[in-house]
């Protein structure tokens, strides 16, 4: 007798089960591989970090938190660029000082951020500090001394304490980046645009920069923000202004590339950054750093601003600086999480349009309708510069920026 044929749908059931089982195994295997990869990546970045307990070093007598209602807590982060040259081929002396200090304020609603440069030559009263490395107690200054002495005596925690003493503003975190870290971060972004008004050849610092607008790699960028007298007439004041311009351009590049929201780009950037930074234990993991960075993506580039604390020349020494009364207004705004006033906003640099590319020449500026974008000079018959343009160009020359 012929065998009875097996119904087709019954034969398909085992095959369908086998396919589902194979698909499930593939999904589980992929999840395990991804999970292991993420864990290894996290451990690698976490192992890069150098962390100190800043709160313990500062002590308990601290300014109050801002009493505002917002989605997040307003944050004040001290960004410190140290002049450490360990493991690098960078010229000059490593004096253990803070070349750059910027107080970065993030509003509670995360719709604005502004970074306030504090000059290294500012004369301040330094409170007693504990050295972060040795644990040695450092007595308070006897009168005024240079601001960057706080970092030399007690490291980043002492710098935080000095800023709090000067401003009565609570500092929540610090991030210290040395020369190598800065250079690697720029390279991780694929370079950052700069504009050098004239050729630089500084044999002491081993700084050589060609004139013009171009994408600077890590070494060129470091030279650009480090040189003091080669392209500016006012020494550290001009360098501070160039640092603001560069950070604005760097923020623009990171946001424009989607670095802060792209996992691969963010990893490359954090890997470069975490190898050469110190920070407080409130930012002691890649997840915390990445989470803070992603909060910045909601802030429009127009609302990321950089400025200098209002200062004047110290009458006793023209190489030193003192705060003006306008600084009190700035500290009040920081303390209350308020936007910058019109007066304090007159000379800010924004991340939307950082002055790192050559601007139209005199006679073809924004006050001249139909102006072109040439950088070779005004066209024959072009009008003269307005007083505002002349003032802007003069400030740019003093600071070593392109007008």
């Amino acid at each position: 007798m012929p065998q009875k044929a097996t119904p087709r749908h019954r034969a398909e059931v085992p095959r369908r089960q086998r396919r589902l089982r194979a698909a499930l195994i593939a999904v589980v295997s992929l999840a395990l591989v991804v999970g292991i990869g993420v864990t290894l990546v996290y451990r690698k970045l976490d192992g890069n970090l150098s962390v100190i307990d800043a709160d313990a070093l500062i002590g308990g007598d601290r300014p109050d938190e801002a009493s505002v209602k917002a989605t997040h807590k307003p944050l004040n982060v001290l960004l410190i660029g140290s002049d450490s040259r360990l493991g690098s081929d960078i010229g000059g002396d490593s004096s253990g000082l803070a070349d750059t200090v910027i107080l970065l304020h993030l509003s509670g609603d995360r719709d604005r951020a502004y970074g306030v440069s504090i000059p290294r030559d500012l004369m301040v009263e330094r409170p007693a500090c504990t050295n972060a490395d040795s644990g040695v107690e450092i007595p308070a200054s006897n009168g005024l001394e240079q601001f960057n002495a706080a970092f030399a005596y007690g490291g980043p925690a002492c710098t935080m304490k000095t800023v709090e003493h000067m401003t009565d503003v609570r500092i929540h975190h610090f991030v210290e980046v040395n020369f190598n870290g800065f250079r690697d971060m720029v390279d991780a972004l694929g370079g950052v645009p700069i504009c050098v008004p004239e050729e630089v050849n500084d044999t002491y610092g081993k700084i050589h920069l060609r004139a013009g607008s171009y994408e600077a790699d890590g070494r060129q960028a470091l030279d650009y923000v480090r040189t003091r007298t080669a392209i500016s007439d006012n020494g550290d004041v001009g360098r501070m202004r160039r640092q603001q311009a560069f950070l604005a351009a760097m923020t623009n590049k990171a946001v424009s590339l989607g670095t802060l929201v792209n996992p691969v780009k963010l990893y490359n950037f954090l890997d470069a950054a975490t190898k050469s930074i110190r920070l407080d234990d409130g930012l002691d993991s890649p997840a915390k750093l990445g989470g803070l960075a992603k909060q910045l993506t909601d802030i429009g580039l127009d609302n990321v601003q950089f400025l200098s604390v209002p200062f004047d020349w110290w009458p006793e020494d023209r190489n030193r600086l003192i705060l003006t009364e306008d600084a009190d207004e700035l500290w009040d705004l920081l303390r209350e999480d308020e936007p910058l006033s019109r007066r304090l906003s007159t000379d800010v640099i924004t991340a939307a349009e950082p002055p790192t590319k050559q601007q139209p020449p005199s006679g073809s500026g924004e006050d001249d309708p139909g102006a072109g974008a040439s950088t070779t000079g005004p066209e024959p018959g072009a009008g003269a510069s307005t007083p505002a343009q002349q003032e802007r160009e003069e400030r740019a020359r003093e600071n070593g920026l392109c007008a």
Side-chain angles (χ1 to χ4, degrees):
M1 291 181 62
Q3 290 185 337
K4 190 183 242 182
T6 303
R8 188 175 176 187
H9 71 276
R10 291 182 183 176
E12 287 179 345
V13 171
R15 285 199 294 270
R16 190 180 304 120
Q17 289 177 342
R18 286 196 297 271
R19 292 193 194 103
L20 289 173
R21 190 181 301 116
L24 181 61
I25 291 173
V27 170
V28 171
S29 300
L30 179 61
L32 287 173
V33 169
V34 171
I36 293 171
V38 169
T39 300
L40 292 176
V41 165
Y42 183 89
R43 287 180 178 174
K44 181 180 184 300
L45 292 178
D46 194 50
N48 289 344
L49 294 174
S50 175
V51 179
I52 67 172
D53 187 350
D55 287 340
L57 292 168
I58 294 173
D61 189 15
R62 311 275 304 273
D64 295 332
E65 297 276 4
S67 56
V68 297
K69 293 182 180 180
T71 307
H72 303 278
K73 180 173 75 173
L75 285 182
N76 297 309
V77 183
L78 208 61
L79 308 177
I80 303 172
S82 71
D83 67 355
S84 172
R85 293 159 171 80
L86 294 176
S88 72
D89 58 350
I90 300 165
D93 296 327
S94 179
S95 51
L97 296 174
D99 265 0
T100 306
V101 176
I102 293 178
L103 175 52
L104 178 65
H105 176 77
L106 303 180
S107 65
D109 51 18
R110 298 299 190 266
D111 67 354
R112 65 184 182 276
Y114 46 89
V116 181
S117 293
I118 302 176
R120 56 177 283 170
D121 294 329
L122 189 68
M123 300 304 291
V124 301
E125 291 182 348
R126 178 185 50 76
C129 295
T130 302
N131 185 282
D133 297 319
S134 66
V136 173
E137 294 293 326
I138 310 297
S141 62
N142 184 17
L144 299 178
E145 70 177 19
Q146 280 182 254
F147 170 67
N148 67 346
F151 185 85
Y153 285 133
C158 188
T159 304
M160 288 177 66
K161 189 172 183 179
T162 301
V163 172
E164 289 189 344
H165 181 76
M166 175 177 65
T167 65
D168 196 31
V169 172
R170 181 64 173 260
I171 310 301
H172 300 97
H173 304 292
F174 83 87
V175 178
E176 177 199 341
V177 184
N178 65 24
F179 281 174
N180 286 333
F182 178 87
R183 185 169 56 185
D184 292 344
M185 289 162 66
V186 173
D187 285 336
L189 289 175
V192 172
I194 63 173
C195 182
V196 184
E198 61 187 63
E199 187 179 23
V200 177
N201 289 294
D202 177 358
T203 56
Y204 172 73
K206 297 182 180 178
I207 295 175
H208 303 281
L209 294 168
R210 72 178 189 273
S213 297
Y214 49 92
E215 291 276 327
D217 61 24
R219 177 57 189 258
Q220 292 169 324
L222 180 59
D223 288 345
Y224 175 75
V225 301
R226 194 164 64 91
T227 185
R228 297 183 67 183
T229 58
I231 54 175
S232 59
D233 298 334
N234 49 13
D236 195 59
V237 173
R239 177 171 68 171
M240 186 170 62
R241 195 65 173 160
R242 287 196 309 278
Q243 290 167 351
Q244 294 169 11
F246 184 84
L247 287 175
M250 192 172 183
T251 303
N252 185 297
K253 182 75 177 283
V255 172
S256 300
L257 289 177
T259 299
L260 303 182
V261 294
N262 182 298
V264 175
K265 292 179 179 179
L266 182 60
Y267 167 76
N268 291 335
F269 186 75
L270 288 178
D271 185 43
T274 54
K275 290 176 182 176
S276 302
I277 67 174
R278 269 199 303 182
L279 33 72
D280 65 282
D281 56 358
L283 293 175
D284 60 356
S285 72
K288 292 178 182 178
L289 280 173
L292 183 61
K294 286 181 180 179
Q295 290 181 24
L296 295 175
T297 59
D298 295 330
I299 301 177
L301 290 175
D302 277 326
N303 293 326
V304 179
Q305 302 174 321
F306 295 89
L307 69 155
S308 302
V309 62
F311 63 82
D312 204 346
W313 305 106
W314 192 33
E316 297 184 24
D317 185 348
R318 294 285 295 178
N319 293 315
R320 303 289 178 259
L321 307 170
I322 56 170
L323 295 178
T324 67
E325 291 182 357
D326 287 343
D328 293 332
E329 178 189 355
L330 178 59
W331 305 143
D332 288 341
L333 294 175
L334 277 163
R335 197 178 303 114
E336 300 301 325
D337 192 33
E338 295 288 340
L340 294 175
S341 65
R342 182 182 297 273
R343 177 169 54 176
L344 292 172
S345 300
T346 56
D347 205 27
V348 300
I349 293 175
T350 73
E353 295 182 354
T356 51
K357 293 186 178 180
Q358 183 72 52
Q359 300 299 312
S362 303
S364 61
E366 58 189 30
D367 296 327
D368 218 344
S374 169
T375 61
T376 59
E379 293 292 330
S385 299
T386 65
Q389 287 174 318
Q390 292 174 354
E391 183 180 353
R392 183 170 62 248
E393 292 166 3
E394 179 60 30
R395 285 202 310 269
R397 280 193 294 270
E398 289 178 354
N399 296 324
L401 291 167
C402 295

